[in-house]
Amino acid sequence: MAEREREHVRVAVIGSGFGGLGAAVRLRRQGITDFVVLERAGSVGGTWRDNSYPGCACDVPSHLYSFSFAPNPRWPRNFSGQPHIRAYLEHVTDTFGLRPHLRFNSEVQSLRWSNDDLWWEIETASGPLVADVVVSATGPLSDPKIPDIPGLDTFPGKVFHSARWDHDHDLRGKRVAMIGTGASAIQIVPAIQPDVAHLSLFQRTPAWVLPRADRRITAAEQWLHTKIPATRAARRGLLWGIRELQVSAFTKRPNELGLVEVIGRAHMKKAVKDPALRAKLSPDYRIGCKRILLSNTYYPALTEPNVDVIAAGLKEVRGSTLIGSDGSETEADAIIFGTGFHVTDMPIGHRVTGAHGTTLAEEWKDGMEALRGTSAAGFPNFLTIIGPNTGLGNSSMILMIEAQLTYMADYLRQLDVLGGRIALDARPEAVADWTRHMQQRMERTVWTTGGCDSWYLDANGRNTTAWPGTTAEFKRVTRQVDLAEYALLRPPAGRRTPATTEEVAA
């Protein structure tokens, strides 16, 4: 298709999870309707569409894990399950009139910045287009990671990742191996344990597990939250405030978390009476160093006679025999990987080529870096929702997403004020200063000092994932765009040559 025939939109949003739908709502509320949402699947929902495994639920309270501009007074439980969260996202899509903007089955294959035209040339599974601004909301929990296990291709049974659950495969009466003990595994194990013949749990590192204060939200509470919105707001505010007060223990005074470890040990001891099994399940690192898990059913499931805990990772597969790193051998009919996602090496990075002809993945080969978690140097008018150092260990990511949406809105406003064909490119020195500040603050956190190796850390041992502060602080630092942190790009008048960089007056 000739370039002039390509569809041209002001904004292209990638992904239709919380980040992508939130961006779409914010654009419409700002009066911007010239945008599309590119979704690789056939429906909205992001990670809450993809993760449909048995027992899937959120570990953040429902009234905090929802948009402030789209409250749901009728959440059924304190911690809602995947079907209810996915239904909520469908409701948001309809309520805010987003469906005309959605492009399903439109996986982004490549994005390339044009220095001549100051726009993004986008190739998708449904055709090409160009966009002045790209908002990448693919999310860090979108592309499953399966380790390279020797001999896995020889396994005669079923193999799948928790985020790609095969609902057509019946696990009843089967010998099942669960690989990993993260947030997905602790929900899957108790959900499938009663039905399988035998469950082998391969555990490289035991997790800290705390009680889950879950219960059904009564009809009276739902009525009250519907009729008197202030009660709903108060509930959300209380949930938020409690978590804000916890932040300093994670980021400044990790030793205070020792008190929480007492709760974790008591929780395990109550359910696991066997000292040998308790020894296998006892972490040797500070709580919070890895993600803290919540469950009332995980430990009891591990004590059932049809469950074995193998305190080792999966080293090799020989036919239907699974070899642990401790030399143990286990027979299995199915293997389920609960081994997480490509968080610090997001695959979208390989598909984005910036102003210097290099991909985002190449620029981030030594670690992800983005100004205020949003803008990478050399990638003009490219904004990432849930970018580097925006993750949370104890609160709702929706709070962080909404803060970044405010930053996105001001970014677009600044482009309007500056006028004409224009782009903003984060200055390398601004990105470097921000990254240095993040890493300095990270030195005191539990993620660095806690004595564990977690998915928060990249291949170089740097924490490029978590935010070392409160959500209120992040909201403050993303309230508006500081033009001094950006270079202004304009095309030369009357010529189709690479755009020049102009200094922006402070």
Side-chain angles (χ1 to χ4, degrees):
M1 180 182 295
E3 187 174 89
R4 65 177 179 274
E5 297 174 347
R6 289 189 177 198
E7 179 183 12
H8 184 178
V9 297
R10 184 178 183 195
V11 182
V13 179
I14 309 174
S16 67
F18 268 98
L21 294 179
V25 171
R26 190 60 182 263
L27 289 170
R28 284 188 61 88
R29 296 180 79 182
Q30 196 160 316
I32 298 173
T33 57
D34 183 16
F35 71 91
V36 295
V37 179
L38 304 172
E39 169 55 55
R40 66 184 178 184
S43 60
V44 303
T47 192
W48 294 106
R49 175 199 59 236
D50 296 342
N51 286 269
S52 60
Y53 58 78
C56 183
C58 190
D59 58 5
V60 175
S62 305
H63 283 277
L64 194 59
Y65 198 79
S66 48
F67 290 121
S68 63
F69 54 79
N72 177 15
R74 297 195 176 277
W75 285 115
R77 303 194 66 83
N78 280 352
F79 296 90
S80 290
Q82 177 265 347
H84 294 106
I85 297 173
R86 184 177 181 185
Y88 170 77
L89 290 173
E90 293 280 1
H91 175 72
V92 168
T93 301
D94 291 328
T95 299
F96 291 92
L98 305 183
R99 296 210 180 270
H101 302 279
L102 292 168
R103 303 285 178 86
F104 292 128
N105 304 308
S106 297
E107 182 172 8
V108 171
Q109 298 164 337
S110 70
L111 299 99
R112 182 174 293 275
W113 175 253
S114 171
N115 286 315
D116 292 338
D117 299 299
L118 297 188
W119 63 36
W120 285 96
E121 299 172 349
I122 308 172
E123 297 292 335
T124 79
S126 62
L129 70 154
V130 295
D132 298 332
V133 177
V134 169
V135 178
S136 178
T138 59
L141 306 183
S142 57
D143 291 279
K145 178 185 290 186
I146 294 181
D148 185 13
I149 306 295
L152 184 60
D153 58 345
T154 70
F155 185 70
K158 191 69 178 177
V159 178
F160 54 87
H161 191 278
S162 59
R164 300 292 184 268
W165 195 271
D166 189 341
H167 291 276
D168 294 328
H169 186 74
D170 191 354
L171 295 175
R172 288 177 297 180
K174 303 288 179 60
R175 298 168 299 178
V176 178
M178 181 78 226
I179 315 301
T181 51
S184 299
I186 70 157
Q187 295 178 342
I188 293 170
V189 166
I192 68 173
Q193 175 272 320
D195 297 324
V196 302
H198 193 270
L199 180 59
S200 300
L201 178 65
F202 283 78
Q203 170 194 269
R204 284 195 309 172
T205 308
W208 281 102
V209 182
L210 297 180
R212 185 181 180 86
D214 192 23
R215 66 171 177 82
R216 184 179 66 85
I217 296 178
T218 66
E221 289 174 282
Q222 294 182 31
W223 179 89
L224 190 65
H225 293 333
T226 301
K227 299 298 183 182
I228 309 177
T231 63
R232 183 184 64 229
R235 185 174 192 153
R236 180 183 175 95
L238 179 62
L239 292 169
W240 169 78
I242 291 172
R243 282 154 182 79
E244 292 288 273
L245 292 173
Q246 297 169 350
V247 171
S248 64
F250 286 85
T251 60
K252 297 178 181 178
R253 295 181 288 275
N255 287 337
E256 292 180 358
L257 292 167
L259 298 174
V260 186
E261 291 179 1
V262 174
I263 300 174
R265 292 192 187 97
H267 183 53
M268 182 197 302
K269 189 172 183 179
K270 180 180 179 181
V272 182
K273 305 304 181 184
D274 179 7
L277 180 56
R278 279 207 306 271
K280 284 185 180 181
L281 299 175
S282 296
D284 62 357
Y285 55 87
R286 174 66 76 198
I287 192 170
C289 183
K290 294 170 74 75
R291 184 174 177 181
I292 299 174
L293 308 180
L294 305 177
S295 177
N296 299 327
T297 56
Y298 178 63
Y299 284 143
L302 299 184
T303 66
E304 294 296 327
N306 67 331
V307 178
D308 282 330
V309 176
I310 301 165
L314 177 59
K315 180 182 179 181
E316 184 183 355
V317 176
R318 300 173 188 164
S320 61
T321 303
L322 279 54
I323 312 299
S325 57
D326 60 352
S328 61
E329 298 187 2
T330 302
E331 296 295 315
D333 303 309
I335 300 175
I336 303 171
F337 284 95
T339 45
F341 300 84
H342 289 275
V343 175
T344 60
D345 58 340
M346 293 187 286
I348 189 67
H350 295 279
R351 306 182 186 192
V352 184
T353 302
H356 307 304
T358 54
T359 66
L360 191 58
E362 290 170 333
E363 293 294 326
W364 282 354
K365 65 181 185 302
D366 295 324
M368 300 189 298
E369 297 182 354
L371 177 64
R372 303 182 189 275
T374 307
S375 300
F379 296 83
N381 286 6
F382 184 87
L383 309 178
T384 300
I385 306 299
I386 315 184
N389 290 118
T390 59
L392 297 177
N394 74 312
S395 192
S396 173
M397 280 305 303
I398 313 306
L399 301 171
M400 304 294 279
I401 289 172
E402 289 197 36
Q404 285 193 283
L405 297 182
T406 296
Y407 192 79
M408 175 199 75
D410 193 57
Y411 189 104
L412 292 167
R413 186 186 68 81
Q414 296 283 5
L415 291 178
D416 284 342
V417 170
L418 291 167
R421 172 62 59 185
I422 196 170
L424 295 175
D425 188 7
R427 295 182 181 279
E429 59 270 25
V431 176
D433 286 347
W434 177 264
T435 302
R436 189 180 307 111
H437 179 57
M438 288 295 98
Q439 293 306 313
Q440 287 173 348
R441 292 181 60 176
M442 210 62 72
E443 292 175 0
R444 300 174 59 185
T445 68
V446 68
W447 310 304
T448 300
T449 65
C452 74
D453 182 15
S454 73
W455 59 263
Y456 297 130
L457 309 180
D458 64 18
N460 299 311
R462 290 199 315 165
N463 189 330
T464 57
T465 304
W467 167 248
T470 64
T471 62
E473 181 189 0
F474 188 73
K475 185 177 180 180
R476 286 195 301 272
V477 300
T478 54
R479 181 171 290 120
Q480 62 185 30
V481 170
D482 180 357
L483 286 179
E485 295 180 328
Y486 287 87
L488 174 63
L489 305 180
R490 289 188 188 275
R495 291 189 297 121
R496 287 179 58 82
T497 55
T500 59
T501 302
E502 300 176 354
E503 295 296 322
V504 178

